[in-house]
Amino acid sequence: MGADCTAGEGKLRTPTVAKRRTAPLGGARPAGVSSGAAVMIPEPPMTFPRALAGRLGPLVLLLALAGCAEPREELPVNTRLGGDFTLTDHNGGAFRLADQRGRVVLMFFGYTHCPDICPATLARVSQVYRNLRDAGDADRVQPLFITFDPARDTPEHLREYVPWFKANVIGLTGGEAEIRAVAEQYGVVFLKSGEGEPEYDFTHSDYVYLLDQQGRVRKLYPSDFNIDEVTDDVQSLL
Amino acid sequence: MMYKAFFNGVAGAALLALAGAASADGDLVLEKAWLRAVPPVSPTMAGYFTLRNDGDRAVELKGAKTDIAGMAMLHDTETTDDGQARMVHLSGITLEPGDQATFAPGGKHLMLMKVAEIPEAGEQVEICLTFSDHDDLCADFPVLRDAP
Ligand SMILES: [Cu+2]
Ligand SMILES: [Cu+2]
């Protein structure tokens, strides 16, 4: 099926997924830096999320279970991650994951003030959705975007944001505690940087979650996942 | 030196849209420039490009400016081994002769903040890169939904 499992999807993946960044995004990453790589002088990060370090132990273990299936083999069920939840959708209504039974769900956590990874990932998820729609499977697939920035990502704001991606994405928000609880269920870590400043942003995990028709976690992808691989995986669950 | 070295290239708009803007100022070559299209309600945008120093002296890229944004910065998205992404501010990037800096999705990017009106896919936005020891280098960045 041509699924490339080498980019961070190692069978028994080690805690590191750093290599995944070598996968070209949309195949368009400019060819390597010419000889004599540029000398980068990074400032210290705006904030060091030291607090994260302590919380990552369990996450790393969980990720080890979210390995890559052999082509055409059934995707393993990840029993350590996931679970039902209720949040508020971008129309202001209650959204319960359990109501998606019968649909394969692609779920991503992020925030709309993020200009780089979040819109790029949503665009890729949307492309997967459109591929599936073209294959006649639109009714059985549901992309979800869960914000961890409810202060700015209100239902009203999400209502203006998610339709732009033209992929029937449901934007989800809620109370801070509610969102934190969902993030914990799924092993998502996020930390606000620049707390109290108007231009705060987040350090966050950026995995995309594949849930089967029973709402069980079947696979995690790095945010620069291969679109065909995910499309194939979704179809294997339909 | 306050004068701007405008150099919008000879390529037509169609070619620019396909290949990304190319701009040069003798010693500096700016290529693959583009801005990621985002929903109109977004307050921020990210821009990408490659910048090569074909000159014979080092230059330091310090930042950028554009009329559409209240603030523009050089950022990097760092991804840790645990899959945590975070953005950090780069105060400057030194390019020795022959060096190239690559700003690409998931990594270094031009961060435009306080964007009053988000341009649509298909539009062009002029952005000037600023240096500590070199004239500004300006180019039209096409707004694209996906990496070119
Ligand atoms: Cu982000
Ligand atoms: Cu940034």
Side-chain angles (χ1 to χ4, degrees), chain B residues 13 34 69 87 95:
Chain B
W34 63 289
M87 294 197 295
L95 288 133

Side-chain angles (χ1 to χ4, degrees), chain A residues 50-117:
Chain A
R50 282 279 153 257
L52 288 178
R55 295 197 229 151
L56 290 172
L59 176 66
V60 160
L61 280 178
L62 296 172
L63 292 175
L65 296 166
C68 173
E70 290 296 327
R72 289 289 147 244
E73 244 175 50
E74 232 183 68
L75 295 170
V77 174
N78 186 322
T79 55
R80 305 278 188 95
L81 292 180
D84 194 23
F85 59 80
T86 301
L87 290 171
T88 305
D89 69 27
H90 62 253
N91 290 315
F95 173 96
R96 190 173 166 210
L97 180 67
D99 293 338
Q100 298 301 311
R101 290 290 133 85
R103 291 199 184 98
V104 172
V105 169
L106 281 169
M107 195 165 84
F108 173 67
F109 295 75
Y111 64 111
T112 69
H113 279 53
C114 141
D116 182 33
I117 288 185

Side-chain angles (χ1 to χ4, degrees), chain A residues 115-116 201, chain B residues 45-46 73-77 87-88 109-112:
Chain A
D116 182 33
D201 50 32
Chain B
M45 291 185 91
M73 294 169 102
L74 308 178
H75 272 193
D76 198 358
T77 298
M87 294 197 295
V88 295
H109 55 279
L110 211 56
M111 179 91 169
L112 307 185

Side-chain angles (χ1 to χ4, degrees), chain A residues 52-194:
Chain A
L52 288 178
R55 295 197 229 151
L56 290 172
L59 176 66
V60 160
L61 280 178
L62 296 172
L63 292 175
L65 296 166
C68 173
E70 290 296 327
R72 289 289 147 244
E73 244 175 50
E74 232 183 68
L75 295 170
V77 174
N78 186 322
T79 55
R80 305 278 188 95
L81 292 180
D84 194 23
F85 59 80
T86 301
L87 290 171
T88 305
D89 69 27
H90 62 253
N91 290 315
F95 173 96
R96 190 173 166 210
L97 180 67
D99 293 338
Q100 298 301 311
R101 290 290 133 85
R103 291 199 184 98
V104 172
V105 169
L106 281 169
M107 195 165 84
F108 173 67
F109 295 75
Y111 64 111
T112 69
H113 279 53
C114 141
D116 182 33
I117 288 185
C118 298
T121 306
L122 261 177
R124 301 172 74 74
V125 167
S126 299
Q127 188 55 53
V128 170
Y129 177 84
R130 286 191 292 268
N131 289 350
L132 291 160
R133 184 176 59 198
D134 292 348
D137 294 324
D139 294 347
R140 299 197 290 156
V141 184
Q142 182 58 60
L144 303 179
F145 173 69
I146 303 179
T147 183
F148 34 62
D149 186 15
R152 293 186 298 200
D153 292 343
T154 59
E156 296 71 34
H157 186 75
L158 291 175
R159 188 157 63 230
E160 292 183 75
Y161 186 84
V162 292
W164 186 85
F165 292 92
K166 296 189 173 72
N168 195 32
V169 177
I170 297 178
L172 296 174
T173 184
E176 237 167 84
E178 288 175 316
I179 291 170
R180 176 126 350 240
V182 176
E184 263 163 36
Q185 283 176 292
Y186 286 85
V188 171
V189 186
F190 63 95
L191 188 82
K192 212 175 190 171
S193 332

